[in-house]
Amino acid sequence: MFKAPRGLNDILPKDQPAWSYIETQSSATFESFGYRRIDTPVFEESGLYDRSVGQATDIVEKETYRFEDRSGDSMTLRPEGTAGVCRAYLEHGMRVLPQPVRLYSVRMPMFRYDRPQAGRQRQHHQIWAEAIGDAHASVDGEVVEMAWRLLERLGLRDLTLALNSIGDPVCRPDYVAALRGYYQPLLPKLCADCQRRFETNALRLLDCKKASCAPYAEQAPHSIDSLCGECGEHWRQLTQHLKAMGIEYTVKHRLVRGLDYYTRTVFEIVPPEEGAQSTLGGGGRYDGLIEQLGGRPTPGVGFAAGVERILLNLRRQGVAIPDGPSIDAVIVHLGADALTPALSLASDLRRKGLAVVVAPVGKSLKAQMRYAGSRSPSYTLILGEDEVREGAVAVNRMDTGDQQKVPFAQVAEVIST
Ligand code: HAM
């Protein structure tokens, strides 16, 4: 028997209402901020991720699903959404549109080869939003606020917003130099990954989850103390904006995020039960990314949240999720002569906008009634020999037990009310 590949999950019918709930709430929130939906392909040329996410990141180094297509080109299954959106922004000349261009999507599958565990899959899904083309801190504020309001609107409670600024190409080199200066004498005490990060990507030293490295990261110099004038002003405006919007944040000096494209603002939203795989969503500014992809310098800021992690936390917090779509009627039919009228009635009711299922053919009344019960319809419609002859159907209202005989032509009206 085949099984789904490790770390990839089916989204079963019973789970769909919760997924739809997250999607509709997300779309409504994003649209209320003026964002418009875009969907990009599920794989892209590998070079796109090497240049954006960064070759020295865990994602590109260890987690991408890379393959050669039949023409020998290297392709990568999308590990995240921002690179593809920036590629699309450039490819479709969105620079000529009023800026910033506000884009979002929901339930976008992402692929990262990692050790699966609760909250970590090899295929996960994101909801995300990006605002491209405006460098002002108010747009960072808008994105942070939107992420926060969305998680709040979904019903999640006791979340924490962690915020930091990691500067730009003007001030970051000085900060990285200070960081390396601080870590140099500590090198022999660091884990092997950190010793490597010291050479390849020193900022990521702050992000090490190992208990042996964490105390050093805690004592490390803070990036917000090294910001240049412009980055400092941007940070001041962002924090002012968040205060004005009543959004509480915690400055987390160790927050650098796992992708290379960030400049200035970085943020993450975490639930109360914190753990390595708990971050619900995160994002930040990426003012150098579009230029790195071959475009003119164009600022951008955005965020993404994992749908599976949102679901996990909705369940943990006992948030009530609205039920999925229900069936209006199940049609039970008795005898060979009742089948065609039953199918025609179903067809007619569906064209009138109702959800209708015909009970399995060739089963007893009892078995068909049992089936009807299992679908929890609002009505069960019973077609026996008498009814067929009379061109009518016995309409049973399931919540009250009321029963009445109704001519075919009036069934839709009766069960719609
Ligand atoms: P990210 O932090 O890599 O950011 O992923 C965003 C969210 O996706 C995470 O906070 C988490 O909820 C979820 N996630 C990531 N990996 C997994 C996994 N293996 N299993 C389950 N959930 C996962 C980005 O992807 C950036 N593109 C965000 C962004 C948008 N920055 C600017 N614009």
Side-chain angles (χ1 to χ4, degrees), residues 164 166 175 179 182-183 194 197 201-209 213-214 216-223 252-256:
N164 196 14
I166 54 172
Y175 174 62
L179 203 58
Y182 163 81
Y183 270 107
C194 279
R197 288 183 188 127
N201 200 349
L203 266 191
R204 297 298 315 283
L205 287 162
L206 297 175
D207 202 24
C208 185
K209 305 282 184 299
C213 297
Y216 304 123
E218 282 302 330
Q219 302 297 318
H222 298 167
S223 55
K252 188 174 167 198
H253 299 292
R254 286 178 57 188
L255 181 64
V256 291

PDB file of all heavy atoms in Angstrom, residues 164 166 175 179 182-183 194 197 201-209 213-214 216-223 252-256:
ATOM      1  N   ASN A 164      12.407  43.435  15.791  1.00  0.00           N
ATOM      2  CA  ASN A 164      13.810  43.852  15.824  1.00  0.00           C
ATOM      3  C   ASN A 164      14.100  44.600  14.532  1.00  0.00           C
ATOM      4  O   ASN A 164      13.307  44.556  13.585  1.00  0.00           O
ATOM      5  CB  ASN A 164      14.721  42.613  15.942  1.00  0.00           C
ATOM      6  CG  ASN A 164      16.136  42.962  16.364  1.00  0.00           C
ATOM      7  OD1 ASN A 164      16.412  44.079  16.828  1.00  0.00           O
ATOM      8  ND2 ASN A 164      17.049  42.021  16.209  1.00  0.00           N
ATOM      9  N   ILE A 166      17.419  44.870  11.855  1.00  0.00           N
ATOM     10  CA  ILE A 166      18.780  44.363  11.619  1.00  0.00           C
ATOM     11  C   ILE A 166      19.546  45.269  10.648  1.00  0.00           C
ATOM     12  O   ILE A 166      20.534  44.860  10.048  1.00  0.00           O
ATOM     13  CB  ILE A 166      18.764  42.897  11.109  1.00  0.00           C
ATOM     14  CG1 ILE A 166      17.868  42.758   9.868  1.00  0.00           C
ATOM     15  CG2 ILE A 166      18.309  41.955  12.215  1.00  0.00           C
ATOM     16  CD1 ILE A 166      17.979  41.374   9.207  1.00  0.00           C
ATOM     17  N   TYR A 175      27.789  46.240  12.355  1.00  0.00           N
ATOM     18  CA  TYR A 175      27.187  45.398  13.393  1.00  0.00           C
ATOM     19  C   TYR A 175      27.738  43.980  13.305  1.00  0.00           C
ATOM     20  O   TYR A 175      28.113  43.382  14.330  1.00  0.00           O
ATOM     21  CB  TYR A 175      25.667  45.392  13.278  1.00  0.00           C
ATOM     22  CG  TYR A 175      25.045  44.423  14.256  1.00  0.00           C
ATOM     23  CD1 TYR A 175      25.209  44.598  15.636  1.00  0.00           C
ATOM     24  CD2 TYR A 175      24.340  43.310  13.812  1.00  0.00           C
ATOM     25  CE1 TYR A 175      24.681  43.696  16.545  1.00  0.00           C
ATOM     26  CE2 TYR A 175      23.803  42.397  14.710  1.00  0.00           C
ATOM     27  CZ  TYR A 175      23.977  42.598  16.084  1.00  0.00           C
ATOM     28  OH  TYR A 175      23.468  41.698  16.978  1.00  0.00           O
ATOM     29  N   LEU A 179      29.697  41.851  16.053  1.00  0.00           N
ATOM     30  CA  LEU A 179      29.225  40.527  16.473  1.00  0.00           C
ATOM     31  C   LEU A 179      30.359  39.496  16.369  1.00  0.00           C
ATOM     32  O   LEU A 179      30.570  38.681  17.275  1.00  0.00           O
ATOM     33  CB  LEU A 179      28.069  40.128  15.544  1.00  0.00           C
ATOM     34  CG  LEU A 179      27.063  39.112  16.008  1.00  0.00           C
ATOM     35  CD1 LEU A 179      26.396  39.552  17.301  1.00  0.00           C
ATOM     36  CD2 LEU A 179      25.986  38.930  14.916  1.00  0.00           C
ATOM     37  N   TYR A 182      32.785  39.970  19.110  1.00  0.00           N
ATOM     38  CA  TYR A 182      32.266  39.413  20.372  1.00  0.00           C
ATOM     39  C   TYR A 182      32.401  37.898  20.392  1.00  0.00           C
ATOM     40  O   TYR A 182      32.791  37.298  21.406  1.00  0.00           O
ATOM     41  CB  TYR A 182      30.797  39.835  20.533  1.00  0.00           C
ATOM     42  CG  TYR A 182      30.024  39.021  21.541  1.00  0.00           C
ATOM     43  CD1 TYR A 182      30.119  39.279  22.910  1.00  0.00           C
ATOM     44  CD2 TYR A 182      29.184  37.988  21.117  1.00  0.00           C
ATOM     45  CE1 TYR A 182      29.402  38.530  23.835  1.00  0.00           C
ATOM     46  CE2 TYR A 182      28.458  37.234  22.031  1.00  0.00           C
ATOM     47  CZ  TYR A 182      28.571  37.504  23.392  1.00  0.00           C
ATOM     48  OH  TYR A 182      27.867  36.754  24.294  1.00  0.00           O
ATOM     49  N   TYR A 183      32.099  37.246  19.249  1.00  0.00           N
ATOM     50  CA  TYR A 183      32.082  35.781  19.211  1.00  0.00           C
ATOM     51  C   TYR A 183      33.474  35.153  19.060  1.00  0.00           C
ATOM     52  O   TYR A 183      33.666  34.007  19.436  1.00  0.00           O
ATOM     53  CB  TYR A 183      31.180  35.283  18.069  1.00  0.00           C
ATOM     54  CG  TYR A 183      29.731  35.072  18.494  1.00  0.00           C
ATOM     55  CD1 TYR A 183      28.731  35.943  18.094  1.00  0.00           C
ATOM     56  CD2 TYR A 183      29.379  33.987  19.298  1.00  0.00           C
ATOM     57  CE1 TYR A 183      27.404  35.737  18.480  1.00  0.00           C
ATOM     58  CE2 TYR A 183      28.062  33.775  19.685  1.00  0.00           C
ATOM     59  CZ  TYR A 183      27.075  34.655  19.275  1.00  0.00           C
ATOM     60  OH  TYR A 183      25.779  34.453  19.662  1.00  0.00           O
ATOM     61  N   CYS A 194      27.428  26.690  14.620  1.00  0.00           N
ATOM     62  CA  CYS A 194      27.747  28.096  14.891  1.00  0.00           C
ATOM     63  C   CYS A 194      29.164  28.436  14.438  1.00  0.00           C
ATOM     64  O   CYS A 194      29.417  29.546  13.967  1.00  0.00           O
ATOM     65  CB  CYS A 194      27.560  28.420  16.377  1.00  0.00           C
ATOM     66  SG  CYS A 194      25.826  28.729  16.776  1.00  0.00           S
ATOM     67  N   ARG A 197      28.660  29.084  10.967  1.00  0.00           N
ATOM     68  CA  ARG A 197      27.927  30.342  10.758  1.00  0.00           C
ATOM     69  C   ARG A 197      28.839  31.548  10.975  1.00  0.00           C
ATOM     70  O   ARG A 197      28.677  32.583  10.329  1.00  0.00           O
ATOM     71  CB  ARG A 197      26.748  30.442  11.732  1.00  0.00           C
ATOM     72  CG  ARG A 197      25.635  29.493  11.391  1.00  0.00           C
ATOM     73  CD  ARG A 197      24.463  29.679  12.337  1.00  0.00           C
ATOM     74  NE  ARG A 197      23.493  28.637  12.127  1.00  0.00           N
ATOM     75  CZ  ARG A 197      23.000  27.841  13.073  1.00  0.00           C
ATOM     76  NH1 ARG A 197      23.403  27.995  14.338  1.00  0.00           N
ATOM     77  NH2 ARG A 197      22.126  26.917  12.788  1.00  0.00           N
ATOM     78  N   ASN A 201      27.740  33.319   7.866  1.00  0.00           N
ATOM     79  CA  ASN A 201      26.519  34.097   8.059  1.00  0.00           C
ATOM     80  C   ASN A 201      26.403  34.446   9.545  1.00  0.00           C
ATOM     81  O   ASN A 201      25.576  33.899  10.263  1.00  0.00           O
ATOM     82  CB  ASN A 201      25.346  33.195   7.613  1.00  0.00           C
ATOM     83  CG  ASN A 201      24.098  33.981   7.302  1.00  0.00           C
ATOM     84  OD1 ASN A 201      24.012  35.164   7.602  1.00  0.00           O
ATOM     85  ND2 ASN A 201      23.121  33.317   6.696  1.00  0.00           N
ATOM     86  N   ALA A 202      27.268  35.377   9.975  1.00  0.00           N
ATOM     87  CA  ALA A 202      27.429  35.600  11.417  1.00  0.00           C
ATOM     88  C   ALA A 202      26.129  36.006  12.118  1.00  0.00           C
ATOM     89  O   ALA A 202      25.941  35.699  13.304  1.00  0.00           O
ATOM     90  CB  ALA A 202      28.519  36.636  11.667  1.00  0.00           C
ATOM     91  N   LEU A 203      25.222  36.695  11.412  1.00  0.00           N
ATOM     92  CA  LEU A 203      23.966  37.103  12.055  1.00  0.00           C
ATOM     93  C   LEU A 203      23.211  35.903  12.617  1.00  0.00           C
ATOM     94  O   LEU A 203      22.568  35.984  13.664  1.00  0.00           O
ATOM     95  CB  LEU A 203      23.043  37.770  11.029  1.00  0.00           C
ATOM     96  CG  LEU A 203      23.027  39.272  10.863  1.00  0.00           C
ATOM     97  CD1 LEU A 203      21.836  39.660   9.993  1.00  0.00           C
ATOM     98  CD2 LEU A 203      22.958  39.991  12.186  1.00  0.00           C
ATOM     99  N   ARG A 204      23.298  34.782  11.895  1.00  0.00           N
ATOM    100  CA  ARG A 204      22.546  33.596  12.305  1.00  0.00           C
ATOM    101  C   ARG A 204      23.054  32.978  13.612  1.00  0.00           C
ATOM    102  O   ARG A 204      22.406  32.104  14.178  1.00  0.00           O
ATOM    103  CB  ARG A 204      22.522  32.542  11.198  1.00  0.00           C
ATOM    104  CG  ARG A 204      21.857  32.914   9.908  1.00  0.00           C
ATOM    105  CD  ARG A 204      20.366  33.227  10.072  1.00  0.00           C
ATOM    106  NE  ARG A 204      19.643  32.264  10.902  1.00  0.00           N
ATOM    107  CZ  ARG A 204      19.251  31.068  10.515  1.00  0.00           C
ATOM    108  NH1 ARG A 204      19.498  30.676   9.298  1.00  0.00           N
ATOM    109  NH2 ARG A 204      18.613  30.279  11.330  1.00  0.00           N
ATOM    110  N   LEU A 205      24.228  33.436  14.075  1.00  0.00           N
ATOM    111  CA  LEU A 205      24.727  32.965  15.373  1.00  0.00           C
ATOM    112  C   LEU A 205      23.693  33.271  16.472  1.00  0.00           C
ATOM    113  O   LEU A 205      23.536  32.518  17.430  1.00  0.00           O
ATOM    114  CB  LEU A 205      26.039  33.663  15.720  1.00  0.00           C
ATOM    115  CG  LEU A 205      27.275  33.225  14.928  1.00  0.00           C
ATOM    116  CD1 LEU A 205      28.385  34.267  15.052  1.00  0.00           C
ATOM    117  CD2 LEU A 205      27.769  31.866  15.433  1.00  0.00           C
ATOM    118  N   LEU A 206      22.987  34.385  16.293  1.00  0.00           N
ATOM    119  CA  LEU A 206      22.028  34.817  17.313  1.00  0.00           C
ATOM    120  C   LEU A 206      20.810  33.897  17.393  1.00  0.00           C
ATOM    121  O   LEU A 206      20.080  33.887  18.368  1.00  0.00           O
ATOM    122  CB  LEU A 206      21.548  36.245  16.988  1.00  0.00           C
ATOM    123  CG  LEU A 206      22.633  37.309  17.026  1.00  0.00           C
ATOM    124  CD1 LEU A 206      22.086  38.647  16.566  1.00  0.00           C
ATOM    125  CD2 LEU A 206      23.171  37.441  18.460  1.00  0.00           C
ATOM    126  N   ASP A 207      20.604  33.144  16.322  1.00  0.00           N
ATOM    127  CA  ASP A 207      19.393  32.360  16.152  1.00  0.00           C
ATOM    128  C   ASP A 207      19.580  30.911  16.604  1.00  0.00           C
ATOM    129  O   ASP A 207      18.645  30.119  16.533  1.00  0.00           O
ATOM    130  CB  ASP A 207      19.072  32.389  14.646  1.00  0.00           C
ATOM    131  CG  ASP A 207      17.635  32.098  14.361  1.00  0.00           C
ATOM    132  OD1 ASP A 207      16.811  32.325  15.252  1.00  0.00           O
ATOM    133  OD2 ASP A 207      17.345  31.631  13.234  1.00  0.00           O
ATOM    134  N   CYS A 208      20.778  30.551  17.083  1.00  0.00           N
ATOM    135  CA  CYS A 208      21.054  29.141  17.406  1.00  0.00           C
ATOM    136  C   CYS A 208      20.142  28.669  18.547  1.00  0.00           C
ATOM    137  O   CYS A 208      19.980  29.348  19.556  1.00  0.00           O
ATOM    138  CB  CYS A 208      22.515  28.941  17.798  1.00  0.00           C
ATOM    139  SG  CYS A 208      22.860  27.184  18.061  1.00  0.00           S
ATOM    140  N   LYS A 209      19.505  27.514  18.314  1.00  0.00           N
ATOM    141  CA  LYS A 209      18.536  27.011  19.300  1.00  0.00           C
ATOM    142  C   LYS A 209      19.208  26.129  20.368  1.00  0.00           C
ATOM    143  O   LYS A 209      18.553  25.721  21.325  1.00  0.00           O
ATOM    144  CB  LYS A 209      17.448  26.179  18.597  1.00  0.00           C
ATOM    145  CG  LYS A 209      16.726  26.897  17.464  1.00  0.00           C
ATOM    146  CD  LYS A 209      15.677  27.874  17.990  1.00  0.00           C
ATOM    147  CE  LYS A 209      14.860  28.554  16.919  1.00  0.00           C
ATOM    148  NZ  LYS A 209      15.569  29.379  15.956  1.00  0.00           N
ATOM    149  N   CYS A 213      24.698  27.230  23.194  1.00  0.00           N
ATOM    150  CA  CYS A 213      25.046  28.489  22.514  1.00  0.00           C
ATOM    151  C   CYS A 213      24.168  29.661  22.964  1.00  0.00           C
ATOM    152  O   CYS A 213      24.577  30.825  22.872  1.00  0.00           O
ATOM    153  CB  CYS A 213      24.916  28.344  20.996  1.00  0.00           C
ATOM    154  SG  CYS A 213      26.060  27.137  20.288  1.00  0.00           S
ATOM    155  N   ALA A 214      22.947  29.338  23.435  1.00  0.00           N
ATOM    156  CA  ALA A 214      21.973  30.394  23.736  1.00  0.00           C
ATOM    157  C   ALA A 214      22.501  31.474  24.695  1.00  0.00           C
ATOM    158  O   ALA A 214      22.295  32.668  24.438  1.00  0.00           O
ATOM    159  CB  ALA A 214      20.688  29.767  24.269  1.00  0.00           C
ATOM    160  N   TYR A 216      25.398  32.687  25.093  1.00  0.00           N
ATOM    161  CA  TYR A 216      26.306  33.624  24.410  1.00  0.00           C
ATOM    162  C   TYR A 216      25.508  34.568  23.529  1.00  0.00           C
ATOM    163  O   TYR A 216      25.810  35.751  23.433  1.00  0.00           O
ATOM    164  CB  TYR A 216      27.347  32.858  23.569  1.00  0.00           C
ATOM    165  CG  TYR A 216      28.131  31.872  24.399  1.00  0.00           C
ATOM    166  CD1 TYR A 216      28.166  30.523  24.072  1.00  0.00           C
ATOM    167  CD2 TYR A 216      28.823  32.308  25.532  1.00  0.00           C
ATOM    168  CE1 TYR A 216      28.866  29.620  24.845  1.00  0.00           C
ATOM    169  CE2 TYR A 216      29.523  31.402  26.316  1.00  0.00           C
ATOM    170  CZ  TYR A 216      29.534  30.067  25.980  1.00  0.00           C
ATOM    171  OH  TYR A 216      30.222  29.179  26.763  1.00  0.00           O
ATOM    172  N   ALA A 217      24.476  34.019  22.879  1.00  0.00           N
ATOM    173  CA  ALA A 217      23.639  34.853  22.010  1.00  0.00           C
ATOM    174  C   ALA A 217      22.930  35.922  22.846  1.00  0.00           C
ATOM    175  O   ALA A 217      22.783  37.069  22.419  1.00  0.00           O
ATOM    176  CB  ALA A 217      22.642  33.988  21.258  1.00  0.00           C
ATOM    177  N   GLU A 218      22.515  35.534  24.058  1.00  0.00           N
ATOM    178  CA  GLU A 218      21.823  36.489  24.940  1.00  0.00           C
ATOM    179  C   GLU A 218      22.701  37.699  25.266  1.00  0.00           C
ATOM    180  O   GLU A 218      22.200  38.811  25.413  1.00  0.00           O
ATOM    181  CB  GLU A 218      21.407  35.806  26.251  1.00  0.00           C
ATOM    182  CG  GLU A 218      20.161  34.936  26.148  1.00  0.00           C
ATOM    183  CD  GLU A 218      18.936  35.702  25.654  1.00  0.00           C
ATOM    184  OE1 GLU A 218      18.823  36.919  25.913  1.00  0.00           O
ATOM    185  OE2 GLU A 218      18.105  35.065  24.974  1.00  0.00           O
ATOM    186  N   GLN A 219      24.001  37.433  25.429  1.00  0.00           N
ATOM    187  CA  GLN A 219      24.918  38.509  25.837  1.00  0.00           C
ATOM    188  C   GLN A 219      25.476  39.302  24.655  1.00  0.00           C
ATOM    189  O   GLN A 219      26.209  40.274  24.841  1.00  0.00           O
ATOM    190  CB  GLN A 219      26.127  37.903  26.591  1.00  0.00           C
ATOM    191  CG  GLN A 219      25.765  37.095  27.838  1.00  0.00           C
ATOM    192  CD  GLN A 219      25.102  37.953  28.884  1.00  0.00           C
ATOM    193  OE1 GLN A 219      25.515  39.076  29.131  1.00  0.00           O
ATOM    194  NE2 GLN A 219      24.026  37.447  29.478  1.00  0.00           N
ATOM    195  N   ALA A 220      25.158  38.889  23.442  1.00  0.00           N
ATOM    196  CA  ALA A 220      25.762  39.504  22.253  1.00  0.00           C
ATOM    197  C   ALA A 220      25.311  40.952  22.086  1.00  0.00           C
ATOM    198  O   ALA A 220      24.263  41.341  22.604  1.00  0.00           O
ATOM    199  CB  ALA A 220      25.370  38.687  21.023  1.00  0.00           C
ATOM    200  N   PRO A 221      26.096  41.757  21.345  1.00  0.00           N
ATOM    201  CA  PRO A 221      25.671  43.143  21.094  1.00  0.00           C
ATOM    202  C   PRO A 221      24.330  43.185  20.357  1.00  0.00           C
ATOM    203  O   PRO A 221      24.000  42.245  19.637  1.00  0.00           O
ATOM    204  CB  PRO A 221      26.782  43.706  20.194  1.00  0.00           C
ATOM    205  CG  PRO A 221      27.832  42.678  20.078  1.00  0.00           C
ATOM    206  CD  PRO A 221      27.372  41.422  20.723  1.00  0.00           C
ATOM    207  N   HIS A 222      23.579  44.263  20.565  1.00  0.00           N
ATOM    208  CA  HIS A 222      22.247  44.400  19.962  1.00  0.00           C
ATOM    209  C   HIS A 222      22.312  45.174  18.646  1.00  0.00           C
ATOM    210  O   HIS A 222      22.939  46.229  18.590  1.00  0.00           O
ATOM    211  CB  HIS A 222      21.312  45.151  20.911  1.00  0.00           C
ATOM    212  CG  HIS A 222      21.089  44.439  22.206  1.00  0.00           C
ATOM    213  ND1 HIS A 222      20.507  45.039  23.290  1.00  0.00           N
ATOM    214  CD2 HIS A 222      21.348  43.161  22.570  1.00  0.00           C
ATOM    215  CE1 HIS A 222      20.429  44.166  24.294  1.00  0.00           C
ATOM    216  NE2 HIS A 222      20.945  43.018  23.874  1.00  0.00           N
ATOM    217  N   SER A 223      21.618  44.662  17.634  1.00  0.00           N
ATOM    218  CA  SER A 223      21.663  45.358  16.333  1.00  0.00           C
ATOM    219  C   SER A 223      21.041  46.751  16.422  1.00  0.00           C
ATOM    220  O   SER A 223      21.521  47.672  15.768  1.00  0.00           O
ATOM    221  CB  SER A 223      20.981  44.526  15.244  1.00  0.00           C
ATOM    222  OG  SER A 223      19.667  44.200  15.631  1.00  0.00           O
ATOM    223  N   LYS A 252      13.075  41.898  20.508  1.00  0.00           N
ATOM    224  CA  LYS A 252      13.834  40.672  20.719  1.00  0.00           C
ATOM    225  C   LYS A 252      15.146  40.820  19.954  1.00  0.00           C
ATOM    226  O   LYS A 252      15.178  40.713  18.724  1.00  0.00           O
ATOM    227  CB  LYS A 252      13.026  39.473  20.221  1.00  0.00           C
ATOM    228  CG  LYS A 252      13.665  38.143  20.574  1.00  0.00           C
ATOM    229  CD  LYS A 252      12.774  36.981  20.211  1.00  0.00           C
ATOM    230  CE  LYS A 252      13.570  35.693  20.285  1.00  0.00           C
ATOM    231  NZ  LYS A 252      12.935  34.600  19.571  1.00  0.00           N
ATOM    232  N   HIS A 253      16.202  41.079  20.712  1.00  0.00           N
ATOM    233  CA  HIS A 253      17.476  41.413  20.069  1.00  0.00           C
ATOM    234  C   HIS A 253      18.052  40.265  19.260  1.00  0.00           C
ATOM    235  O   HIS A 253      18.835  40.473  18.349  1.00  0.00           O
ATOM    236  CB  HIS A 253      18.475  41.871  21.134  1.00  0.00           C
ATOM    237  CG  HIS A 253      18.017  43.103  21.864  1.00  0.00           C
ATOM    238  ND1 HIS A 253      17.934  44.316  21.252  1.00  0.00           N
ATOM    239  CD2 HIS A 253      17.573  43.276  23.135  1.00  0.00           C
ATOM    240  CE1 HIS A 253      17.467  45.209  22.114  1.00  0.00           C
ATOM    241  NE2 HIS A 253      17.232  44.596  23.265  1.00  0.00           N
ATOM    242  N   ARG A 254      17.661  39.040  19.635  1.00  0.00           N
ATOM    243  CA  ARG A 254      18.225  37.879  18.923  1.00  0.00           C
ATOM    244  C   ARG A 254      17.453  37.531  17.659  1.00  0.00           C
ATOM    245  O   ARG A 254      17.827  36.604  16.940  1.00  0.00           O
ATOM    246  CB  ARG A 254      18.205  36.656  19.848  1.00  0.00           C
ATOM    247  CG  ARG A 254      19.257  36.727  20.929  1.00  0.00           C
ATOM    248  CD  ARG A 254      19.148  35.511  21.817  1.00  0.00           C
ATOM    249  NE  ARG A 254      19.270  34.274  21.062  1.00  0.00           N
ATOM    250  CZ  ARG A 254      19.060  33.066  21.567  1.00  0.00           C
ATOM    251  NH1 ARG A 254      18.708  32.942  22.825  1.00  0.00           N
ATOM    252  NH2 ARG A 254      19.213  31.995  20.824  1.00  0.00           N
ATOM    253  N   LEU A 255      16.390  38.275  17.380  1.00  0.00           N
ATOM    254  CA  LEU A 255      15.567  37.926  16.212  1.00  0.00           C
ATOM    255  C   LEU A 255      16.251  38.402  14.924  1.00  0.00           C
ATOM    256  O   LEU A 255      16.437  39.607  14.717  1.00  0.00           O
ATOM    257  CB  LEU A 255      14.191  38.584  16.344  1.00  0.00           C
ATOM    258  CG  LEU A 255      13.202  38.302  15.224  1.00  0.00           C
ATOM    259  CD1 LEU A 255      12.854  36.813  15.179  1.00  0.00           C
ATOM    260  CD2 LEU A 255      11.926  39.107  15.415  1.00  0.00           C
ATOM    261  N   VAL A 256      16.656  37.436  14.094  1.00  0.00           N
ATOM    262  CA  VAL A 256      17.287  37.802  12.812  1.00  0.00           C
ATOM    263  C   VAL A 256      16.583  37.144  11.634  1.00  0.00           C
ATOM    264  O   VAL A 256      16.752  37.542  10.499  1.00  0.00           O
ATOM    265  CB  VAL A 256      18.794  37.433  12.781  1.00  0.00           C
ATOM    266  CG1 VAL A 256      19.561  38.324  13.734  1.00  0.00           C
ATOM    267  CG2 VAL A 256      19.030  35.972  13.096  1.00  0.00           C
TER     268      VAL A 256
END
